[in-house]
């Protein structure tokens, strides 16, 4: 399985976007979790043909 990610920032310094591709995933849900401003954030999106995009907000660097 090959996972590729592209990280980019959106409108301001607190927003980020993760664009990814997971080879062989097909159409399934993708979940991310990260801590920002003392809160655990969990998001879900649907990967179609293994490709997905998730937007998040953090005022500081974080691990997703």
């Amino acid at each position: 399985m090959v996972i590729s990610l592209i990280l980019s920032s959106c409108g301001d310094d607190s927003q980020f976007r993760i664009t990814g591709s997971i080879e062989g995933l097909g159409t399934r849900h993708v979940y991310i979790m990260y801590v920002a401003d003392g809160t655990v954030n969990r998001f879900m999106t649907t990967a179609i043909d293994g490709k997905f995009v998730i937007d998040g907000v953090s005022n500081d660097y974080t691990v997703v």
Side-chain angles (χ1 to χ4, degrees):
M1 181 180 296
V2 175
I3 300 173
S4 61
L5 300 173
I6 298 173
L7 303 176
S8 62
S9 62
C10 299
D12 61 40
D13 289 340
S14 66
Q15 297 181 5
F16 62 88
R17 171 170 287 165
I18 299 173
T19 304
S21 170
I22 302 173
E23 186 178 308
L25 182 67
T27 301
R28 295 188 186 176
H29 295 299
V30 174
Y31 297 90
I32 69 163
M33 186 182 314
Y34 66 95
V35 177
D37 303 323
T39 304
V40 175
N41 297 280
R42 184 172 185 230
F43 294 95
M44 186 262 323
T45 191
T46 302
I48 299 176
D49 294 329
K51 297 177 183 173
F52 64 92
V53 175
I54 297 177
D55 294 316
V57 177
S58 178
N59 290 318
D60 203 357
Y61 292 109
T62 187
V63 176
V64 179

